[in-house]
Amino acid sequence: MTKPLEGIKIIDFTHVQAGPACTQLLAWYGADVIKVERPGAGDVTRSQLRDIPGVDALYFTMLNSNKKSLTLDTKTAEGKEVLTRLIKQSDVLVENFGPGALDRMGFTWEHIKELNPGMIVASVKGFSDGHHYEDLKVYENVAQCAGGAASTTGFDDGPPTVSAAALGDSNTGMHLAIGILTALHARNRNGGKGQKVAVSMQDSVLNLCRVKLRDQQRLDRVGYLEEYPQYPHGSFTDVVPRGGNAGGGGQPGWVLKCKGWETDKNAYIYFTIQGHAWAPICRAIGKPEWIEDPAYMTASARQDKIFDIFGTIEAWLADKTKFEAVNILRKFDIPCAPVMTMKELANDESLRASGTIAEVDHKERGKYLTVGSPIKFSDLKVEITGSPLLGEHTNEVLETLGYSSREIAALHEAKAV
């Protein structure tokens, strides 16, 4: 089966997570992604948080599947010549260097356009160009704080809290992948002209926090947010508060204890009380009298008693595991879910069958688990392959660039690759 992005060659000058997440996504769908790494060292994540001495860490393997690895020292004249050839034959260059790094390397945007007018240069940045923090170094948690996520996460009586989800890194990479695909489509429509594409980590986090920006404007106008746990018995300041486990869509929701919570920190379900589901909820938990009771029958009537209602539901959950509870509630079409642990997800047969969790082979590590494509297609089966060893494809890539065996040997001798 021909893959949709076959024929697209990408120079992957990225490291750590945001950039590699972007290029890995494109590699899954058929792009020829050539990861350019420093000889002898490579991406820093190859050695970060290792669980097997001397073997590429899971941090690296789970962000660089389906790619090729080319080692290249662009500080040497020979290395610059290799990169020049590569740019002439490629479609996209993706980078997350610090500001000006490509320029100092001798590959300004103007020079790249001269070499290849159709080239798309895609960049991950901490902050957008011109931002007053544009020179600030940014990592995952920095981005979550700068993008507004941390200030609204956690409970109101505690400090701002960052999420374990990669809102700053992988989220930025996915936004950049969309930008690259858009630029490729535009190139096809405008005579082959390339362009620069940039995504900042702050912007990407804020993009996912749009409901909180919505809430700030509502708070400015009316002074309270009725779906937050602070309403109606608490008070609000002039900024969106941390909402605990409240639902962001306006439907009351909370994490509730299930059987075994005393010893299992994840014996909980998330339970949402939607207006149309009120009658089924009452029937499910054995409170049919609440259906027509004026004190409970409308969302506004329930608001000041919402945590009492959650307490009643929690009492109903006391003798049920999270999975037993969800299996009952799903029959009533009630929005809920078990709080799933990483261990439970890793062993979930449905996720294995769908390819969302993939087991792949690595030449040194053996089998390991990684995430698969979250996007499913009717006419594409996404195959996940193991990440490359450092420099594994160097000679292969050089051959495609027209280097002879003698010239390749000379490049190795000069330590340019």
Side-chain angles (χ1 to χ4, degrees), residues 5 8-14 19-20 22-28 30-36 64-70 94 388 393 397:
L5 299 185
I8 300 296
K9 182 177 285 188
I10 298 175
I11 305 169
D12 181 0
F13 256 126
T14 71
C22 166
T23 51
Q24 178 175 252
L25 200 65
L26 301 175
W28 286 344
D32 182 13
V33 176
I34 300 169
K35 186 175 181 71
V36 181
N64 292 283
S65 57
N66 294 57
K67 301 180 186 180
K68 297 175 181 176
S69 174
L70 163 71
V94 190
H393 303 94
V397 172

Side-chain angles (χ1 to χ4, degrees), residues 90-225:
S90 298
D91 299 281
V92 184
L93 186 155
V94 190
E95 60 90 16
N96 60 348
F97 294 127
L102 273 179
D103 294 355
R104 293 189 295 273
M105 199 183 294
F107 291 88
T108 63
W109 169 235
E110 289 72 22
H111 183 45
I112 290 173
K113 282 195 297 182
E114 290 174 358
L115 296 173
N116 184 348
M119 176 64 78
I120 293 159
V121 175
S123 302
V124 173
K125 297 177 177 293
F127 296 89
S128 294
D129 287 344
H131 192 281
H132 52 278
Y133 285 152
E134 67 177 330
D135 61 340
L136 192 64
K137 185 170 285 189
V138 178
Y139 296 106
E140 173 65 53
N141 292 351
V142 175
Q144 288 195 34
C145 291
S151 72
T152 60
T153 303
F155 292 89
D156 204 35
D157 58 353
T161 306
V162 297
S163 169
L167 307 181
D169 279 324
S170 286
N171 168 47
T172 301
M174 291 178 187
H175 278 88
L176 188 62
I178 294 169
I180 290 169
L181 295 175
T182 301
L184 285 169
H185 184 63
R187 190 180 69 177
N188 292 337
R189 301 180 66 179
N190 65 11
K193 181 182 177 184
Q195 63 178 301
K196 290 199 293 184
V197 180
V199 177
S200 89
M201 296 173 73
Q202 182 192 40
D203 293 355
S204 296
V205 172
L206 179 56
N207 190 51
L208 294 189
C209 292
R210 67 189 68 183
V211 297
K212 299 302 182 180
L213 185 59
R214 171 205 68 188
D215 291 348
Q216 184 61 57
Q217 295 172 86
R218 293 169 54 223
L219 182 63
D220 289 342
R221 184 173 296 277
V222 300
Y224 61 89
L225 299 168

Side-chain angles (χ1 to χ4, degrees), residues 72-86:
L72 188 64
D73 184 355
T74 57
K75 293 180 180 179
T76 66
E78 297 88 347
K80 292 182 190 299
E81 172 57 27
V82 172
L83 181 55
T84 296
R85 290 198 195 187
L86 193 56

